[in-house]
Amino acid sequence: MDIAGGDERGTTERVLTLLGLLQQRRVWSGPELADRLGVTSRTVRRDVERLRTLGYQVRAGQGVGGGYQLGPGQDLPPLLFDDEEAIATAVSLLAGAGGAVAGADDAALRALTKLDRVLPTRLRHEVRALSDAVESFGGGRTPVDPETLMTLARACRDEVEAGFDYPSGDVRRRRRVEPYRLVASDRRWYLLAYDLDRDDWRSFRVDRITEVSARTWRFHPRPAPDAATYVQEGVASRVYPHRARFLVHAPAETVRAQIPASAAVVRQRDNGYCEVLSGGAELDFVLAHVLLLGHTFEVLDPPELVKRCHVLAQRLLAAGKTISPPPAEDS
């Protein structure tokens, strides 16, 4: 039994080595692969068939320029990385998750959590050192600490409680949460979590989180709100002292192109209209932003904003009357 087990492990290691070679170069001849693996060409052919059975599209060409090469398949099979490739991939994903790569965000973080599950411990300090040396300039998402982001991502993935310090007024308080999802906006990363001390759902800005730690205590996931919707509504309106709803006479896709997702929630309505939910320190500022969209609109809520519309309209009319009409042109 031990000999058979050893033969099986030897075959598995050889097939994985063959896969790594095929991923390194476009085309290998049969004799080249046999020489690198220390086997016969017949064994190479058998190992190629094993890879095909696992879903890898290995092509075999004849004649000059022919040989074995990996081709695209219907599904994405596992990839093999050496240490340098794993480090480079992890650092690139951290840059994408941190906002340095436009459009990468969520997909980069999902890929990073998968890589994190199998990344050898000996490589983690090298990934951290390299990620600290990567910066970007210009606009984009508020930078976050990679370790904080990864710790929270692991906690969400493994369904374990997390603790961290978070600002509340002028002081930082310890929060205990059941982390649910990380959500990327156009400007920042947010954590949607169930706050155990406040017994309710909360969203937290990841760039404000410090001293984060994940426990080994697993929790049973609660029925949760839609993460992206909850965070967007909180960012756009719930955190402000004043909130307002408008019916805008334009399609939702048109209005979404005019308003950042962090500034308002836009919902499609019938007849080509949309509903805009937004908030601000003053209702007049919210009203002015909707006015500047350039579409006909109606105030849905709150009632006092209707009165402000009349007051501001009269003020604008009065301002227009003080301007002298332009002189008539000579005929």
Side-chain angles (χ1 to χ4, degrees):
M1 294 297 293
D2 291 340
I3 295 176
D7 290 344
E8 183 177 349
R9 285 194 297 272
T11 300
T12 301
E13 292 173 1
R14 190 180 65 249
V15 171
L16 289 175
T17 302
L18 172 60
L19 177 59
L21 292 172
L22 291 172
Q23 290 177 347
Q24 288 178 14
R25 207 168 81 184
R26 183 172 179 271
V27 180
W28 290 85
S29 68
E32 285 177 323
L33 290 174
D35 181 63
R36 294 291 293 267
L37 296 172
V39 296
T40 65
S41 296
R42 182 178 181 182
T43 301
V44 170
R45 290 194 294 271
R46 288 176 177 174
D47 289 346
V48 166
E49 287 302 320
R50 291 187 176 97
L51 287 177
R52 289 169 176 165
T53 302
L54 293 172
Y56 294 92
Q57 301 297 316
V58 184
R59 298 171 178 172
Q62 302 294 327
V64 179
Y68 295 103
Q69 60 178 309
L70 279 178
Q74 293 182 344
D75 301 313
L76 180 64
L79 300 176
L80 293 181
F81 295 109
D82 58 28
D83 286 3
E84 292 183 357
E85 292 169 339
I87 292 171
T89 301
V91 171
S92 299
L93 290 171
L94 279 169
V101 181
D105 42 62
D106 291 330
L109 187 58
R110 290 197 305 272
L112 188 57
T113 55
K114 292 179 181 178
L115 182 60
D116 173 73
R117 189 187 295 272
V118 297
L119 192 68
T121 303
R122 69 179 186 277
L123 302 183
R124 295 185 188 279
H125 74 281
E126 296 187 49
V127 171
R128 173 66 199 211
L130 281 176
S131 64
D132 286 345
V134 177
E135 296 186 12
S136 61
F137 64 90
R141 187 169 299 119
T142 303
V144 297
D145 178 62
E147 288 188 4
T148 297
L149 194 64
M150 279 306 305
T151 300
L152 294 172
R154 292 188 200 108
C156 292
R157 179 194 68 195
D158 299 335
E159 297 178 350
V160 295
E161 292 182 11
F164 51 80
D165 292 343
Y166 198 76
S168 178
D170 296 330
V171 298
R172 301 188 72 85
R173 301 185 186 278
R174 195 67 180 171
R175 310 296 282 266
R176 297 185 311 115
V177 303
E178 295 176 354
Y180 179 64
R181 288 287 187 276
L182 284 164
V183 179
S185 76
D186 53 345
R187 297 173 57 191
R188 298 183 178 94
W189 277 100
Y190 294 87
L191 171 69
L192 173 63
Y194 192 85
D195 194 313
L196 295 171
D197 295 321
R198 290 157 179 78
D199 197 28
D200 199 4
W201 291 96
R202 292 287 190 273
S203 61
F204 303 91
R205 277 178 50 174
V206 175
D207 61 294
R208 292 180 175 176
I209 291 176
T210 57
E211 303 300 325
V212 63
S213 61
R215 300 179 59 187
T216 56
W217 181 262
R218 297 194 64 183
F219 61 86
H220 183 70
R222 308 167 186 264
D226 179 78
T229 301
Y230 184 93
V231 171
Q232 187 191 11
E233 289 182 354
V235 172
S237 64
R238 199 181 301 124
V239 298
Y240 292 103
H242 300 284
R243 295 185 292 273
R245 290 191 307 124
F246 304 89
L247 181 66
V248 179
H249 297 198
E253 59 182 16
T254 300
V255 177
R256 287 194 187 105
Q258 297 177 281
I259 307 178
S262 57
V265 177
V266 182
R267 301 190 182 104
Q268 185 65 51
R269 294 281 292 267
D270 296 334
N271 302 320
Y273 294 175
C274 67
E275 180 179 323
V276 174
L277 173 66
S278 188
E282 299 292 340
L283 283 176
D284 285 0
F285 293 149
V286 180
L287 182 62
H289 283 302
V290 176
L291 176 65
L292 292 175
L293 293 176
H295 309 296
T296 302
F297 67 93
E298 305 167 35
V299 175
L300 299 178
D301 195 60
E304 58 265 30
L305 189 54
V306 176
K307 298 179 181 178
R308 293 301 302 164
C309 287
H310 291 285
V311 171
L312 294 176
Q314 292 300 320
R315 190 177 300 169
L316 288 171
L317 288 173
K321 291 178 181 178
T322 61
I323 300 176
S324 300
E329 295 183 0
D330 297 334
S331 56

